[in-house]
Amino acid sequence: MREIPTCKGPDPDTKTPRYRAPAGACDTHCHVFGPAAVFPYAPDRAYTPPDAGFEALVNLHRILGIERAVIVHASCHGSDMRVTLDGIARSGGTMRGVCVVDPGVTDAELQRLHDGGIRGVRFNFVKHLGGMPDMAVFQRVLAQVEPLGWHVVLHLDAQDVVPLTPVISAIRIPFVIDHMGRVRAKDGIDQPAFRQLRELMRNPLAWVKICGAERISSTGAPFRDALPFIRALAEDAPDRLLWGTDWPHPNIAGDMPNDGDLVDLLAEAIEDEAIRRKVLVDNPTRLYWSD
């Protein structure tokens, strides 16, 4: 039987950030895991997380001063969307979601997900999560979600940003690059992957999440080596930047971040309060609550 690795849980002692987020602030990248007794994990998952349910997510956001959220459906739950739809339904309109779908997903199923608060579909290209998806399926699903007004979230490894640029540039719907393209901070802002990411941001359909500082950092907590990357993207495209915690931080091999520190890292990276408001309030509203 295949052994499935277990990943670490989040820091349980969330700090209250020094920075007070504006009203309507949104965490656009967080997950809900289980509880497995209610929402089982997929048998073919790449990892098993500790349970991190809806109530814990709500408590996290209460401490952080975050009023809205986007639940990004995680690969450990496969394409069983119940856990994400449950969280959205229980949020009273303050949460939206991003789904994962089966290759044969129907238009009727996509409409059901839309009615349940889903506004985007995510594709993993990351090697440790399965690697390159079936590109015929990728193209077909993008065509199916276009009439719904959805976007596509692209989870890439840094080394794939340059070779996948022709595919990305041909996308006709808004696309969101996760975790700053998972670039490596130690390679600097002039590395080819980050230069290409910045070039992609010239496309008016391109969005990027300035989250995952702990994933790109080479120095560890408090991950300040991620600051130049956040600042560069904020300079390039402040109207198409999103921020998220990535709670509960699955598959972190190094320092587990404290989410209060991540809020303060954002505030340090972007000193202009008008741009902070765009990132935290206005941009998520346009992408997730425009209907």
Side-chain angles (χ1 to χ4, degrees):
M1 181 179 292
R2 180 176 66 96
E3 185 175 351
I4 302 174
T6 299
C7 64
K8 297 187 292 187
D11 187 331
D13 298 316
T14 305
K15 300 176 184 176
T16 300
R18 296 185 303 276
Y19 173 64
R20 183 169 181 173
C26 184
D27 175 354
T28 66
H29 195 104
C30 51
H31 309 288
V32 176
F33 293 150
V38 180
F39 302 109
Y41 299 119
D44 61 347
R45 64 192 179 277
Y47 63 94
T48 302
D51 286 347
F54 175 79
E55 293 82 1
L57 178 61
V58 169
N59 185 59
L60 172 88
H61 288 150
R62 179 186 59 78
I63 297 170
L64 298 182
I66 301 294
E67 296 180 2
R68 298 182 298 168
V70 178
I71 302 174
V72 176
H73 191 76
S75 63
C76 61
H77 277 288
S79 59
D80 181 349
M81 291 296 303
R82 288 178 297 169
V83 66
T84 296
L85 292 172
D86 175 77
I88 297 170
R90 295 169 65 184
S91 75
T94 63
M95 294 186 183
R96 291 284 193 259
V98 171
C99 69
V100 173
V101 297
D102 286 325
V105 65
T106 64
D107 292 345
E109 173 63 9
L110 291 170
Q111 183 63 57
R112 185 183 75 86
L113 295 174
H114 185 86
D115 294 342
I118 300 299
R119 294 297 181 268
V121 60
R122 191 186 198 209
F123 282 91
N124 264 309
F125 292 77
V126 173
K127 186 175 181 180
H128 73 264
L129 295 175
M132 187 78 66
D134 182 317
M135 295 309 293
V137 172
F138 176 79
Q139 299 293 353
R140 183 170 65 251
V141 171
L142 264 57
Q144 286 178 276
V145 305
E146 185 173 1
L148 295 170
W150 288 14
H151 62 276
V152 60
V153 177
L154 307 175
H155 189 199
L156 311 169
D157 285 315
Q159 64 264 29
D160 294 327
V161 174
V162 173
L164 283 173
T165 289
V167 173
I168 298 171
S169 297
I171 294 174
R172 300 186 309 179
I173 63 175
F175 59 89
V176 181
I177 306 293
D178 265 349
H179 304 318
M180 296 180 279
R182 295 181 68 106
V183 296
R184 297 189 300 178
K186 67 180 180 181
D187 293 336
I189 63 171
D190 289 327
Q191 63 184 281
F194 193 65
R195 288 204 311 269
Q196 188 60 64
L197 175 60
R198 297 184 73 180
E199 184 65 26
L200 282 168
M201 293 308 298
R202 295 165 63 89
N203 184 337
L205 294 175
W207 296 65
V208 65
K209 291 180 186 173
I210 48 173
C211 58
E214 70 278 13
R215 297 189 185 278
I216 77 168
S217 176
S218 303
T219 59
F223 317 114
R224 298 189 73 255
D225 55 336
L227 291 173
F229 298 87
I230 299 173
R231 287 167 177 158
L233 291 168
E235 179 179 341
D236 292 344
D239 294 322
R240 287 175 280 115
L241 257 59
L242 302 166
W243 173 86
T245 58
D246 196 25
W247 184 92
H249 310 284
N251 295 309
I252 292 295
D255 295 340
M256 180 60 65
N258 187 286
D259 292 279
D261 289 338
L262 293 180
V263 173
D264 286 332
L265 187 73
L266 170 69
E268 181 179 357
I270 301 176
E271 297 181 353
D272 186 324
E273 185 61 26
I275 297 179
R276 290 174 182 164
R277 180 177 177 81
K278 286 184 177 184
V279 173
L280 291 170
V281 182
D282 300 338
N283 297 349
T285 298
R286 283 168 40 225
L287 196 60
Y288 290 98
W289 279 273
S290 61
D291 57 349

